[in-house]
Amino acid sequence: MSLFTDVMTVYNHFYDEAAELDRWQFTVIRGVQWSHNKVKTSISGGVMSEKRVESVTVDFQRKYGNAEYLDPIAFQALENKSGYWTLNSKDGQDVLVLGEADREIGKDYRISDLRKDFQYCGTVTEVSDNRNRGFLKNIKAVVE
């Protein structure tokens, strides 16, 4: 059984100050492992709840021809973001899609349309950066 054979599309959110608009740049990433229906358990006010989430692990042992990954702060600081991607869980606006998506997000096509068009699509809510490990350098993201 081979791992990291899935493909995802990352929609990175950023604010375009010149145009005064929210924008999303999409990047296709190869070498991921997408797992369906993981259970996330949380407790609030003594009540336990479970939610189904998607789990995505990105392999950094090999390049797979992907664009360069940057941490969210470095990505946001770039004037020209082309050729780069990130996984930002803090602003709640980065979106992952299982498979290759090529739709531009804008006034005619929104994130809500993307969610309708792709069964496995969600917002990045957690990121664990494990690229500093000696073996199996990866980043794991939780998508809701």
Side-chain angles (χ1 to χ4, degrees):
M1 179 170 124
S2 296
L3 300 175
F4 305 108
T5 58
D6 295 322
V7 176
M8 73 174 177
T9 304
V10 178
Y11 281 84
N12 288 125
H13 171 265
F14 64 96
Y15 185 73
D16 183 341
E17 292 186 24
E20 297 182 344
L21 291 171
D22 286 314
R23 297 205 188 271
W24 281 264
Q25 170 182 291
F26 73 88
T27 308
V28 174
I29 305 298
R30 296 177 181 351
V32 306
Q33 182 178 347
W34 190 293
S35 302
H36 304 295
N37 296 321
K38 296 288 184 181
V39 176
K40 179 179 177 182
T41 305
S42 61
I43 299 175
S44 177
V47 177
M48 185 172 79
S49 63
E50 293 183 345
K51 182 189 301 187
R52 300 268 179 211
V53 298
E54 304 292 301
S55 174
V56 181
T57 305
V58 182
D59 179 17
F60 282 90
Q61 293 290 108
R62 296 170 203 83
K63 289 289 183 188
Y64 300 96
N66 292 332
E68 186 177 343
Y69 178 85
L70 293 177
D71 69 69
I73 293 171
F75 179 83
Q76 291 298 332
L78 289 175
E79 189 170 316
N80 180 0
K81 294 169 177 33
S82 179
Y84 299 94
W85 65 284
T86 193
L87 292 169
N88 187 351
S89 61
K90 296 197 179 182
D91 72 359
Q93 297 194 65
D94 281 0
V95 175
L96 302 185
V97 173
L98 175 59
E100 291 189 43
D102 62 357
R103 299 293 307 263
E104 294 281 344
I105 302 300
K107 66 177 184 170
D108 296 328
Y109 190 82
R110 302 187 181 280
I111 293 292
S112 58
D113 298 317
L114 189 70
R115 289 178 185 271
K116 289 176 191 171
D117 290 345
F118 291 90
Q119 180 178 359
Y120 299 110
C121 174
T123 304
V124 176
T125 59
E126 297 175 33
V127 176
S128 298
D129 190 341
N130 302 304
R131 292 176 298 150
N132 62 342
R133 293 186 177 184
F135 181 73
L136 192 58
K137 297 177 185 301
N138 69 80
I139 291 181
K140 182 178 178 182
V142 174
V143 180
E144 295 181 17

